Amino acid sequence: RYMTGRGVAINQVEAIKWFERAVSKGSAAAAFRLGMAYEKAQGVPKDRARARTNYVLAAESGHLKAMHNLA
C-alpha cells in the first residue's frame, strides 16, 4: 500500500522497509516487489545486482513473474 498509495499516502521508503521485513520471513511476493523496486529505483537507488538477487529468491519459491523478469 505504501508503494502505490492505495489507502495511504505514498511512502516508498516505508514500503521498502516492509518488503525487506517480509522477505526476511520468506515472502516470495515481497522479494519480487523488492526486486522491482531495485530495478526501477523506487524508494531505493537503482541496483540491478540487488534486483536480480531478489528476483532469484522469488523465482526459486515459484513466483512466475520473477521467473519472467529473470528471463
Side-chain angles (χ1 to χ4, degrees):
R1 305 276 182 207
Y2 283 118
M3 187 61 81
T4 62
R6 193 168 170 196
V8 296
I10 292 174
N11 185 337
Q12 293 179 335
V13 173
E14 188 68 21
I16 296 303
K17 289 178 191 177
W18 284 101
F19 287 144
E20 289 173 344
R21 185 174 180 185
V23 169
S24 74
K25 303 287 185 184
S27 171
F32 172 71
R33 293 296 303 267
L34 194 53
M36 283 181 39
Y38 278 109
E39 181 179 9
K40 298 177 181 189
Q42 296 174 324
V44 290
K46 189 172 194 168
D47 186 334
R48 289 182 180 231
R50 289 184 86 172
R52 183 183 184 285
T53 297
N54 282 285
Y55 284 147
V56 168
L57 281 173
E60 287 176 347
S61 295
H63 196 284
L64 296 177
K65 290 181 180 180
M67 293 176 195
H68 174 269
N69 285 9
L70 281 170

